[in-house]
Coordinates of all heavy atoms in Angstrom, one line a residue:
A1 N 109.5 50.7 39.9 CA 109.4 50.1 41.2 C 108.5 51.0 42.1 O 108.3 52.2 41.8 CB 110.8 50.0 41.9
I2 N 108.0 50.4 43.1 CA 107.1 51.2 44.1 C 108.0 52.3 44.7 O 109.1 52.1 45.0 CB 106.5 50.2 45.1 CG1 105.5 50.9 46.0 CG2 107.6 49.5 45.9 CD1 104.7 50.0 46.9
D3 N 107.3 53.4 45.0 CA 108.0 54.5 45.7 C 107.9 54.2 47.2 O 106.8 54.2 47.8 CB 107.2 55.8 45.4 CG 107.7 57.0 46.2 OD1 108.8 56.8 46.9 OD2 107.0 58.0 46.2
S4 N 109.0 54.0 47.8 CA 109.0 53.6 49.3 C 108.6 54.7 50.2 O 108.3 54.6 51.3 CB 110.4 53.0 49.7 OG 111.4 53.9 49.4
N5 N 108.6 56.0 49.6 CA 108.1 57.1 50.4 C 106.7 57.5 50.0 O 106.3 58.6 50.1 CB 109.0 58.3 50.2 CG 110.4 58.1 50.7 OD1 110.5 57.6 51.9 ND2 111.4 58.5 50.0
F6 N 105.9 56.5 49.6 CA 104.6 56.8 49.1 C 103.7 57.4 50.2 O 102.8 58.2 49.9 CB 103.9 55.4 48.7 CG 103.6 54.5 49.8 CD1 102.5 54.5 50.5 CD2 104.6 53.5 50.1 CE1 102.3 53.6 51.6 CE2 104.4 52.6 51.2 CZ 103.2 52.7 51.9
D7 N 103.9 57.1 51.5 CA 103.1 57.7 52.5 C 103.3 59.2 52.7 O 102.5 59.9 53.2 CB 103.2 56.9 53.8 CG 104.7 56.8 54.3 OD1 105.6 56.9 53.4 OD2 104.9 56.5 55.4
Q8 N 104.5 59.7 52.2 CA 104.7 61.2 52.2 C 104.3 61.8 50.8 O 103.9 62.9 50.8 CB 106.2 61.4 52.5 CG 106.6 61.2 53.9 CD 108.0 60.7 54.0 OE1 108.9 61.2 53.4 NE2 108.2 59.7 54.9
N9 N 104.5 61.0 49.8 CA 104.4 61.6 48.4 C 103.0 61.4 47.9 O 102.7 62.0 46.8 CB 105.3 60.9 47.4 CG 106.8 61.2 47.8 OD1 107.1 62.2 48.4 ND2 107.7 60.3 47.4
R10 N 102.1 60.6 48.5 CA 100.8 60.4 48.0 C 99.7 60.7 49.1 O 100.0 60.7 50.3 CB 100.6 58.9 47.6 CG 101.4 58.5 46.4 CD 101.3 57.1 46.1 NE 101.9 56.7 44.9 CZ 101.3 56.0 43.9 NH1 100.1 55.7 44.0 NH2 102.0 55.6 42.8
E11 N 98.5 61.0 48.6 CA 97.4 61.3 49.5 C 96.7 60.0 49.8 O 96.5 59.1 48.9 CB 96.4 62.2 48.8 CG 96.9 63.5 48.4 CD 96.9 64.6 49.5 OE1 95.9 64.6 50.2 OE2 97.9 65.2 49.7
R12 N 96.3 59.8 51.0 CA 95.4 58.6 51.4 C 94.1 58.8 50.7 O 93.4 59.8 50.9 CB 95.3 58.5 52.9 CG 95.1 57.1 53.3 CD 94.9 56.9 54.8 NE 93.8 56.0 55.0 CZ 93.8 55.1 55.9 NH1 94.8 55.0 56.8 NH2 92.8 54.3 56.0
A13 N 93.7 57.8 49.9 CA 92.5 57.9 49.1 C 91.3 57.2 49.7 O 90.2 57.2 49.2 CB 92.7 57.5 47.7
G14 N 91.5 56.4 50.8 CA 90.4 55.6 51.4 C 90.9 54.3 51.8 O 92.1 54.1 52.2
E15 N 90.0 53.3 51.8 CA 90.3 52.0 52.3 C 89.6 50.9 51.5 O 88.4 51.2 51.1 CB 89.9 51.9 53.8 CG 90.5 50.8 54.6 CD 90.2 51.0 56.1 OE1 90.7 51.9 56.7 OE2 89.4 50.1 56.6
E16 N 90.2 49.8 51.3 CA 89.6 48.7 50.6 C 90.0 47.4 51.3 O 91.1 47.2 51.6 CB 89.9 48.6 49.1 CG 89.0 49.4 48.2 CD 89.5 49.4 46.8 OE1 89.8 48.3 46.2 OE2 89.5 50.5 46.2
N17 N 89.0 46.5 51.6 CA 89.3 45.2 52.2 C 90.1 45.4 53.5 O 90.9 44.6 53.9 CB 90.1 44.3 51.3 CG 89.4 44.1 49.9 OD1 88.2 43.8 49.9 ND2 90.1 44.4 48.9
G18 N 89.8 46.5 54.3 CA 90.5 46.8 55.5 C 91.9 47.3 55.4 O 92.6 47.4 56.4
V19 N 92.3 47.7 54.2 CA 93.6 48.1 53.9 C 93.6 49.6 53.3 O 92.8 49.9 52.5 CB 94.3 47.1 52.9 CG1 95.5 47.7 52.3 CG2 94.5 45.8 53.5
A20 N 94.5 50.4 53.8 CA 94.6 51.8 53.3 C 94.9 51.8 51.8 O 95.7 51.0 51.3 CB 95.6 52.6 54.0
V21 N 94.4 52.8 51.1 CA 94.7 53.0 49.6 C 95.2 54.4 49.5 O 94.7 55.3 50.0 CB 93.4 52.8 48.8 CG1 93.8 53.1 47.3 CG2 92.8 51.4 48.9
W22 N 96.4 54.5 48.8 CA 97.1 55.7 48.5 C 97.0 56.1 47.1 O 97.3 55.3 46.2 CB 98.6 55.6 48.9 CG 98.7 55.1 50.3 CD1 98.7 53.8 50.8 CD2 99.0 55.9 51.5 NE1 98.8 53.8 52.2 CE2 99.0 55.1 52.6 CE3 99.1 57.3 51.7 CZ2 99.3 55.5 53.9 CZ3 99.4 57.8 53.0 CH2 99.4 56.9 54.1
G23 N 96.4 57.3 46.8 CA 96.1 57.7 45.4 C 97.3 58.1 44.6 O 98.4 58.0 45.1
P24 N 97.1 58.5 43.3 CA 95.8 58.7 42.7 C 95.1 57.4 42.3 O 95.7 56.5 41.9 CB 96.1 59.5 41.5 CG 97.5 59.2 41.1 CD 98.2 58.9 42.4
V25 N 93.7 57.4 42.5 CA 92.9 56.3 42.1 C 91.9 56.8 41.1 O 91.1 57.6 41.4 CB 92.2 55.7 43.4 CG1 91.2 54.6 43.0 CG2 93.2 55.2 44.4
E26 N 91.9 56.2 39.9 CA 91.0 56.4 38.8 C 90.6 55.1 38.1 O 91.2 54.8 37.1 CB 91.5 57.4 37.8 CG 91.7 58.8 38.3 CD 92.7 59.6 37.4 OE1 92.7 59.4 36.2 OE2 93.4 60.5 38.0
P27 N 89.7 54.3 38.7 CA 89.5 53.0 38.2 C 88.8 53.1 36.8 O 88.1 54.0 36.6 CB 88.5 52.4 39.2 CG 88.0 53.5 40.1 CD 89.0 54.6 39.9
P28 N 89.1 52.1 36.0 CA 89.8 50.9 36.3 C 91.3 51.0 35.9 O 92.1 50.1 36.2 CB 89.2 49.8 35.3 CG 88.8 50.6 34.1 CD 88.4 52.0 34.7
E29 N 91.8 52.1 35.4 CA 93.2 52.2 34.9 C 94.2 52.5 36.1 O 95.3 52.0 36.0 CB 93.4 53.3 33.9 CG 92.7 53.0 32.6 CD 91.3 53.5 32.5 OE1 90.9 54.2 33.5 OE2 90.5 53.3 31.6
K30 N 93.8 53.3 37.0 CA 94.7 53.7 38.1 C 94.1 53.2 39.4 O 93.1 53.7 39.8 CB 94.9 55.2 38.1 CG 96.0 55.7 37.2 CD 96.2 57.2 37.4 CE 97.3 57.8 36.6 NZ 98.6 57.7 37.3
L31 N 94.9 52.4 40.1 CA 94.4 51.8 41.4 C 95.2 52.2 42.6 O 94.8 51.8 43.7 CB 94.2 50.3 41.2 CG 93.3 49.8 40.1 CD1 93.3 48.3 39.9 CD2 91.9 50.3 40.3
G32 N 96.3 52.8 42.4 CA 97.1 53.3 43.6 C 97.9 52.3 44.3 O 98.1 51.2 43.7
I33 N 98.3 52.6 45.5 CA 99.1 51.7 46.3 C 98.2 51.2 47.5 O 97.5 52.0 48.1 CB 100.4 52.4 46.9 CG1 101.3 52.6 45.7 CG2 101.0 51.6 48.0 CD1 102.6 53.4 46.1
H34 N 98.2 49.9 47.7 CA 97.4 49.3 48.7 C 98.2 48.8 49.9 O 99.2 48.0 49.7 CB 96.6 48.1 48.2 CG 95.4 48.5 47.3 ND1 94.2 47.8 47.4 CD2 95.3 49.4 46.4 CE1 93.3 48.4 46.5 NE2 94.0 49.3 45.9
G35 N 97.9 49.3 51.1 CA 98.6 48.8 52.3 C 99.5 49.9 52.8 O 99.8 50.9 52.1
T36 N 100.0 49.7 54.1 CA 100.9 50.7 54.7 C 102.2 50.0 55.2 O 103.2 50.3 54.7 CB 100.2 51.4 55.8 OG1 99.0 52.0 55.3 CG2 101.1 52.5 56.4
H37 N 102.1 49.1 56.1 CA 103.3 48.4 56.5 C 103.8 47.4 55.4 O 105.0 47.4 55.1 CB 103.0 47.5 57.8 CG 104.3 46.8 58.2 ND1 105.3 47.4 58.8 CD2 104.6 45.5 58.1 CE1 106.3 46.5 59.0 NE2 105.9 45.4 58.6
V38 N 102.8 46.7 54.8 CA 103.1 46.0 53.6 C 102.3 46.7 52.4 O 101.1 46.7 52.5 CB 102.7 44.5 53.7 CG1 103.0 43.8 52.3 CG2 103.4 43.8 54.8
A39 N 103.0 47.3 51.5 CA 102.4 48.1 50.5 C 102.6 47.5 49.1 O 103.7 47.1 48.7 CB 102.9 49.5 50.5
V40 N 101.5 47.4 48.3 CA 101.6 46.8 46.9 C 101.2 47.9 46.0 O 100.1 48.5 46.1 CB 100.7 45.6 46.8 CG1 100.8 45.1 45.4 CG2 101.0 44.5 47.8
D41 N 102.0 48.3 45.0 CA 101.6 49.2 44.0 C 100.8 48.5 42.9 O 101.3 47.7 42.1 CB 102.9 49.9 43.3 CG 102.5 51.1 42.5 OD1 101.4 51.0 41.8 OD2 103.3 52.0 42.5
Y42 N 99.5 48.7 42.9 CA 98.6 48.0 42.0 C 98.8 48.4 40.6 O 98.4 47.6 39.7 CB 97.1 48.3 42.4 CG 96.5 47.4 43.4 CD1 97.3 46.8 44.4 CD2 95.2 47.0 43.4 CE1 96.8 45.9 45.3 CE2 94.7 46.1 44.3 CZ 95.4 45.6 45.2 OH 94.9 44.7 46.1
D43 N 99.4 49.5 40.3 CA 99.6 49.9 38.9 C 100.9 49.3 38.4 O 101.2 49.4 37.2 CB 99.6 51.4 38.8 CG 98.3 52.0 39.2 OD1 97.3 51.4 38.7 OD2 98.2 52.9 40.1
I44 N 101.7 48.6 39.2 CA 102.9 47.9 38.8 C 102.7 46.4 38.8 O 103.2 45.6 38.0 CB 104.1 48.3 39.7 CG1 104.4 49.8 39.5 CG2 105.3 47.5 39.3 CD1 105.5 50.3 40.4
C45 N 102.0 45.9 39.9 CA 101.8 44.4 40.0 C 101.2 43.8 38.8 O 100.2 44.3 38.2 CB 100.8 44.2 41.2 SG 100.3 42.5 41.4
L46 N 101.8 42.7 38.3 CA 101.3 42.0 37.1 C 100.8 40.6 37.5 O 100.7 39.7 36.6 CB 102.4 42.0 36.0 CG 103.8 41.7 36.3 CD1 104.1 40.3 36.8 CD2 104.7 42.0 35.0
A47 N 100.5 40.4 38.7 CA 99.9 39.2 39.2 C 100.8 37.9 39.1 O 100.3 36.8 38.8 CB 98.5 38.9 38.4
D48 N 102.1 38.1 39.3 CA 103.0 37.0 39.3 C 102.6 36.0 40.3 O 102.7 34.8 40.1 CB 104.4 37.6 39.6 CG 105.4 36.5 39.6 OD1 106.0 36.1 38.6 OD2 105.7 36.0 40.7
G49 N 102.3 36.4 41.5 CA 101.8 35.5 42.6 C 102.8 34.9 43.5 O 102.5 34.2 44.5
A50 N 104.1 35.2 43.2 CA 105.2 34.6 44.0 C 105.1 35.1 45.5 O 105.4 34.4 46.4 CB 106.5 34.9 43.4
C51 N 104.7 36.3 45.6 CA 104.6 36.9 47.0 C 103.5 36.1 47.8 O 103.8 35.6 48.9 CB 104.2 38.4 46.9 SG 102.7 38.7 46.0
L52 N 102.4 35.9 47.2 CA 101.3 35.2 47.9 C 101.6 33.8 48.1 O 101.3 33.3 49.2 CB 100.0 35.4 47.0 CG 98.7 34.7 47.4 CD1 97.5 35.5 47.0 CD2 98.6 33.3 46.9
E53 N 102.3 33.1 47.2 CA 102.6 31.7 47.4 C 103.6 31.5 48.4 O 103.7 30.4 49.0 CB 103.0 31.1 46.0 CG 101.9 30.9 45.0 CD 102.3 30.8 43.6 OE1 103.5 30.5 43.4 OE2 101.5 31.1 42.7
N54 N 104.5 32.4 48.6 CA 105.7 32.2 49.4 C 105.7 32.9 50.8 O 106.5 32.6 51.6 CB 107.0 32.6 48.7 CG 107.2 31.6 47.5 OD1 107.7 30.5 47.8 ND2 106.9 32.0 46.3
C55 N 104.8 33.8 51.0 CA 104.8 34.5 52.3 C 104.5 33.5 53.4 O 103.5 32.8 53.4 CB 103.7 35.6 52.3 SG 103.5 36.3 53.9
P56 N 105.4 33.5 54.4 CA 105.3 32.4 55.4 C 104.1 32.6 56.4 O 103.7 31.7 57.1 CB 106.6 32.5 56.2 CG 107.1 33.9 56.0 CD 106.6 34.3 54.6
V57 N 103.5 33.8 56.4 CA 102.4 34.0 57.3 C 101.1 34.5 56.5 O 100.2 35.0 57.1 CB 102.7 35.1 58.4 CG1 103.8 34.5 59.3 CG2 103.3 36.4 57.8
D58 N 101.1 34.2 55.2 CA 99.9 34.4 54.4 C 99.3 35.8 54.6 O 98.1 36.0 54.9 CB 98.8 33.3 54.8 CG 99.2 31.9 54.4 OD1 100.0 31.8 53.4 OD2 98.8 31.0 55.0
V59 N 100.1 36.8 54.3 CA 99.6 38.2 54.4 C 98.7 38.5 53.2 O 97.8 39.3 53.4 CB 100.9 39.1 54.4 CG1 100.5 40.6 53.9 CG2 101.5 39.1 55.7
F60 N 98.9 37.9 52.0 CA 98.2 38.3 50.8 C 97.0 37.5 50.4 O 96.9 36.3 50.6 CB 99.2 38.3 49.6 CG 100.5 39.1 49.9 CD1 101.6 38.5 50.2 CD2 100.5 40.5 49.7 CE1 102.8 39.2 50.4 CE2 101.6 41.2 49.9 CZ 102.8 40.6 50.3
T61 N 96.0 38.2 49.8 CA 94.9 37.5 49.2 C 94.7 38.1 47.8 O 94.9 39.3 47.6 CB 93.6 37.7 50.0 OG1 93.4 39.1 50.3 CG2 93.7 36.9 51.3
W62 N 94.2 37.3 46.8 CA 93.9 37.8 45.5 C 92.6 38.7 45.5 O 91.6 38.4 46.2 CB 93.6 36.7 44.5 CG 94.8 35.9 44.1 CD1 95.1 34.6 44.4 CD2 96.0 36.4 43.4 NE1 96.3 34.2 43.8 CE2 96.9 35.3 43.2 CE3 96.3 37.6 42.8 CZ2 98.1 35.4 42.5 CZ3 97.5 37.8 42.2 CH2 98.4 36.7 42.0
V63 N 92.6 39.8 44.7 CA 91.4 40.5 44.4 C 91.4 40.8 42.9 O 92.4 40.9 42.3 CB 91.4 41.9 45.2 CG1 91.4 41.7 46.7 CG2 92.5 42.8 44.7
D64 N 90.2 40.8 42.4 CA 90.0 41.0 41.0 C 90.0 42.5 40.6 O 89.4 43.3 41.3 CB 88.6 40.4 40.5 CG 88.6 38.9 40.6 OD1 89.7 38.3 40.3 OD2 87.6 38.3 40.9
T65 N 90.7 42.8 39.5 CA 90.8 44.2 39.1 C 90.5 44.2 37.6 O 91.4 44.5 36.8 CB 92.2 44.7 39.4 OG1 93.2 43.9 38.8 CG2 92.5 44.8 40.8
P66 N 89.3 43.9 37.2 CA 89.0 43.9 35.8 C 89.3 45.2 35.1 O 89.1 46.2 35.6 CB 87.5 43.6 35.8 CG 87.0 43.9 37.2 CD 88.1 43.7 38.1
D67 N 89.8 45.0 33.8 CA 90.1 46.2 32.9 C 91.3 47.0 33.4 O 91.6 48.1 32.8 CB 88.9 47.1 32.7 CG 87.8 46.3 32.1 OD1 88.0 45.5 31.2 OD2 86.6 46.5 32.5
H68 N 92.1 46.5 34.4 CA 93.3 47.2 34.7 C 94.3 46.9 33.6 O 94.4 45.7 33.2 CB 93.9 46.9 36.0 CG 95.1 47.7 36.4 ND1 96.4 47.3 36.0 CD2 95.2 48.9 37.0 CE1 97.2 48.3 36.4 NE2 96.5 49.3 37.0
P69 N 95.0 47.8 33.0 CA 95.9 47.6 31.8 C 97.0 46.6 32.1 O 97.5 45.9 31.1 CB 96.4 48.9 31.4 CG 96.1 49.9 32.6 CD 95.0 49.3 33.3
V70 N 97.5 46.4 33.3 CA 98.6 45.5 33.6 C 98.2 44.1 33.9 O 98.8 43.1 33.4 CB 99.5 46.1 34.7 CG1 100.7 45.2 35.0 CG2 100.1 47.5 34.3
S71 N 97.2 43.9 34.7 CA 96.7 42.6 35.1 C 95.3 42.7 35.7 O 95.0 43.7 36.3 CB 97.6 41.9 36.0 OG 97.8 42.6 37.2
E72 N 94.5 41.6 35.6 CA 93.2 41.6 36.0 C 93.0 41.0 37.4 O 91.8 40.8 37.8 CB 92.3 40.9 35.0 CG 92.4 41.6 33.6 CD 91.0 41.6 32.9 OE1 90.3 40.6 32.9 OE2 90.7 42.7 32.2
R73 N 94.1 40.8 38.1 CA 94.0 40.6 39.5 C 95.3 41.1 40.2 O 96.3 41.3 39.5 CB 93.7 39.1 39.9 CG 94.7 38.1 39.5 CD 94.3 36.7 40.0 NE 95.4 35.8 39.7 CZ 95.4 34.5 40.2 NH1 94.4 34.1 41.0 NH2 96.4 33.7 39.9
K74 N 95.2 41.4 41.5 CA 96.3 41.9 42.3 C 96.3 41.3 43.6 O 95.3 40.6 44.0 CB 96.1 43.4 42.5 CG 95.7 44.2 41.2 CD 96.9 44.4 40.3 CE 96.5 45.2 39.1 NZ 97.6 45.3 38.1
V75 N 97.3 41.4 44.4 CA 97.4 40.9 45.8 C 97.1 42.0 46.8 O 97.7 43.1 46.7 CB 98.7 40.2 46.1 CG1 98.8 38.9 45.4 CG2 99.9 41.1 45.8
E76 N 96.1 41.8 47.6 CA 95.8 42.7 48.7 C 96.6 42.2 50.0 O 96.5 41.1 50.3 CB 94.3 42.6 49.0 CG 93.8 43.7 49.9 CD 93.6 45.0 49.1 OE1 94.6 45.8 48.9 OE2 92.4 45.3 48.7
P77 N 97.3 43.2 50.6 CA 98.0 42.8 51.9 C 97.0 42.7 53.1 O 97.2 43.4 54.1 CB 99.1 43.8 52.0 CG 98.5 45.0 51.3 CD 97.7 44.5 50.2
T78 N 96.0 41.9 52.9 CA 94.9 41.9 53.9 C 95.4 41.7 55.3 O 94.8 42.2 56.2 CB 94.0 40.7 53.5 OG1 93.8 40.7 52.1 CG2 92.6 40.9 54.1
N79 N 96.4 40.8 55.5 CA 96.9 40.5 56.8 C 98.2 41.1 57.1 O 99.1 40.5 57.7 CB 97.0 39.0 57.0 CG 95.6 38.3 56.8 OD1 94.6 38.8 57.2 ND2 95.6 37.2 56.0
E80 N 98.4 42.4 56.7 CA 99.7 43.1 56.9 C 100.1 43.2 58.3 O 101.3 43.2 58.6 CB 99.7 44.4 56.2 CG 98.7 45.5 56.8 CD 98.8 46.8 56.0 OE1 99.9 47.1 55.4 OE2 97.8 47.5 56.1
D81 N 99.1 43.1 59.2 CA 99.5 43.2 60.7 C 100.3 41.9 61.1 O 100.9 41.9 62.1 CB 98.2 43.3 61.5 CG 97.5 44.6 61.3 OD1 98.1 45.5 60.6 OD2 96.4 44.7 61.8
Q82 N 100.2 40.8 60.3 CA 100.8 39.6 60.7 C 102.3 39.5 60.2 O 103.0 38.6 60.5 CB 100.1 38.4 60.1 CG 98.6 38.4 60.3 CD 98.2 37.7 61.6 OE1 98.8 36.7 62.0 NE2 97.4 38.4 62.3
C83 N 102.7 40.5 59.3 CA 104.0 40.4 58.7 C 105.1 40.3 59.7 O 105.1 41.0 60.7 CB 104.1 41.7 57.8 SG 105.7 41.9 57.0
I84 N 106.1 39.5 59.4 CA 107.3 39.3 60.2 C 108.5 39.9 59.6 O 109.6 39.6 60.1 CB 107.5 37.8 60.5 CG1 107.6 37.0 59.2 CG2 106.3 37.2 61.4 CD1 108.1 35.5 59.5
D85 N 108.3 40.7 58.6 CA 109.4 41.5 58.0 C 110.6 40.6 57.5 O 111.7 41.0 57.5 CB 110.0 42.5 59.0 CG 109.0 43.5 59.5 OD1 108.0 43.7 58.8 OD2 109.2 44.2 60.5
C86 N 110.2 39.5 56.9 CA 111.2 38.6 56.4 C 111.8 39.1 55.0 O 112.9 38.7 54.6 CB 110.7 37.2 56.2 SG 109.5 37.0 54.8
M87 N 111.0 40.0 54.4 CA 111.4 40.6 53.1 C 111.4 39.7 51.9 O 111.8 40.1 50.8 CB 112.8 41.3 53.2 CG 112.9 42.3 54.4 SD 111.5 43.5 54.5 CE 112.2 44.8 53.5
L88 N 110.9 38.5 52.1 CA 110.9 37.6 50.9 C 110.1 38.2 49.8 O 110.5 38.1 48.6 CB 110.3 36.3 51.4 CG 110.2 35.1 50.4 CD1 110.4 33.8 51.1 CD2 108.9 35.1 49.6
C89 N 108.9 38.7 50.1 CA 108.0 39.2 49.0 C 108.7 40.4 48.2 O 108.6 40.5 47.0 CB 106.7 39.7 49.6 SG 106.8 40.9 50.8
V90 N 109.4 41.2 49.0 CA 110.1 42.4 48.4 C 111.2 41.9 47.4 O 111.3 42.3 46.3 CB 110.7 43.3 49.5 CG1 111.6 44.3 48.8 CG2 109.7 43.9 50.3
D91 N 111.9 40.8 47.8 CA 113.0 40.3 47.0 C 112.5 39.5 45.8 O 113.1 39.4 44.8 CB 113.9 39.4 47.9 CG 114.6 40.2 49.0 OD1 114.8 41.4 48.8 OD2 115.0 39.6 50.0
I92 N 111.3 38.8 46.0 CA 110.9 37.9 45.0 C 110.1 38.5 43.9 O 110.0 38.0 42.8 CB 110.1 36.7 45.7 CG1 110.2 35.4 44.8 CG2 108.7 37.0 45.9 CD1 109.7 34.2 45.6
C93 N 109.4 39.6 44.1 CA 108.5 40.2 43.1 C 109.4 40.6 41.9 O 110.3 41.4 42.0 CB 107.8 41.4 43.7 SG 106.8 42.2 42.4
P94 N 109.0 40.1 40.7 CA 109.8 40.4 39.5 C 109.7 41.9 39.0 O 110.6 42.3 38.2 CB 109.2 39.5 38.4 CG 107.8 39.2 38.9 CD 107.9 39.3 40.4
V95 N 108.8 42.6 39.5 CA 108.6 44.0 39.1 C 108.7 45.0 40.2 O 108.4 46.2 40.1 CB 107.3 44.2 38.3 CG1 107.3 43.6 36.9 CG2 106.1 43.7 39.1
D96 N 109.2 44.6 41.4 CA 109.4 45.5 42.5 C 108.2 46.3 42.9 O 108.2 47.5 43.1 CB 110.6 46.4 42.3 CG 111.9 45.7 42.3 OD1 112.0 44.6 42.9 OD2 112.9 46.2 41.6
A97 N 107.0 45.5 43.0 CA 105.8 46.2 43.3 C 105.5 46.3 44.8 O 104.5 47.0 45.2 CB 104.6 45.5 42.6
I98 N 106.3 45.7 45.6 CA 106.1 45.6 47.1 C 107.1 46.4 47.9 O 108.3 46.3 47.6 CB 106.0 44.2 47.5 CG1 105.0 43.4 46.7 CG2 105.6 44.1 49.0 CD1 104.9 41.9 47.1
D99 N 106.6 47.1 48.9 CA 107.5 47.8 49.9 C 107.1 47.3 51.2 O 105.9 47.3 51.6 CB 107.4 49.3 49.8 CG 108.2 50.0 50.8 OD1 109.5 49.9 50.6 OD2 107.7 50.6 51.7
V100 N 108.0 46.9 52.1 CA 107.8 46.5 53.5 C 108.6 47.5 54.3 O 109.8 47.6 54.2 CB 108.1 45.1 53.7 CG1 108.0 44.8 55.2 CG2 107.2 44.1 52.9
D101 N 107.9 48.2 55.2 CA 108.5 49.1 56.1 C 109.0 48.4 57.4 O 108.3 48.3 58.3 CB 107.6 50.3 56.4 CG 108.2 51.3 57.4 OD1 109.5 51.3 57.5 OD2 107.5 52.1 57.9
A102 N 110.2 47.9 57.3 CA 110.7 47.0 58.4 C 111.4 47.9 59.5 O 111.9 47.3 60.4 CB 111.7 46.0 57.8
S103 N 111.5 49.2 59.3 CA 112.2 50.0 60.3 C 111.5 50.1 61.6 O 110.3 49.9 61.7 CB 112.5 51.4 59.8 OG 111.2 52.0 59.4
Ligands
SF4_1 FE1 105.1 38.0 54.1 FE2 107.7 38.3 54.6 FE3 106.5 39.9 52.8 FE4 105.9 40.2 55.4 S1 107.9 40.6 54.4 S2 104.4 40.2 53.7 S3 106.1 38.1 56.2 S4 106.8 37.7 52.7
F3S2 FE1 102.2 41.2 42.1 FE2 104.8 41.0 42.5 FE3 103.2 39.6 44.0 S1 103.7 41.1 40.5 S2 101.4 39.2 42.7 S3 103.3 41.9 43.9 S4 105.1 38.9 43.2

């Protein structure tokens, strides 16, 4: 599962699609955690899609991640600022790849 303390345990490695990226990042195998309020561990996400399909405010968009060992696309929390903290994505993801900081 995603480390919910990633912002303390990882270094900020940059930004992609307007979203913070937390390392280590060594493409294409290691892609880190994307997002801060809504965070997706790209090295765990297997592109199930339930988060993207069910988020009531369309926080997520697909991005291609060719040659990543787990899946060749991931969800970017592009609109994390719109999140209403419903926790649906956290509960629905089959591999616990998402953390939402609702505090
Ligand atoms: Fe969308 Fe709810 Fe997840 Fe926020 S917590 S990203 S509103 S599904
Ligand atoms: Fe990935 Fe989980 Fe969503 S596997 S696509 S973060 S439901």
Side-chain angles (χ1 to χ4, degrees):
I2 187 171
D3 173 12
S4 57
N5 292 318
F6 67 88
D7 51 340
Q8 287 146 46
N9 295 337
R10 291 175 175 235
E11 302 273 315
R12 208 183 137 142
E15 199 172 290
E16 269 176 49
N17 306 307
V19 167
V21 178
W22 304 82
V25 176
E26 292 161 31
E29 293 90 5
K30 275 183 175 271
L31 299 175
I33 289 177
H34 284 222
T36 303
H37 180 74
V38 179
V40 181
D41 193 323
Y42 269 35
D43 297 312
I44 298 176
C45 172
L46 42 65
D48 177 87
C51 56
L52 180 146
E53 287 160 20
N54 291 284
C55 174
V57 291
D58 294 333
V59 161
F60 303 101
T61 50
W62 287 117
V63 298
D64 291 326
T65 56
D67 300 321
H68 188 270
V70 177
S71 60
E72 299 217 320
R73 64 178 184 168
K74 311 287 179 184
V75 287
E76 192 80 279
T78 319
N79 300 318
E80 63 180 336
D81 295 352
Q82 310 275 315
C83 175
I84 57 170
D85 300 343
C86 73
M87 307 309 271
L88 183 150
C89 59
V90 172
D91 293 338
I92 208 170
C93 176
V95 288
D96 291 332
I98 306 179
D99 180 67
V100 173
D101 181 15
S103 58

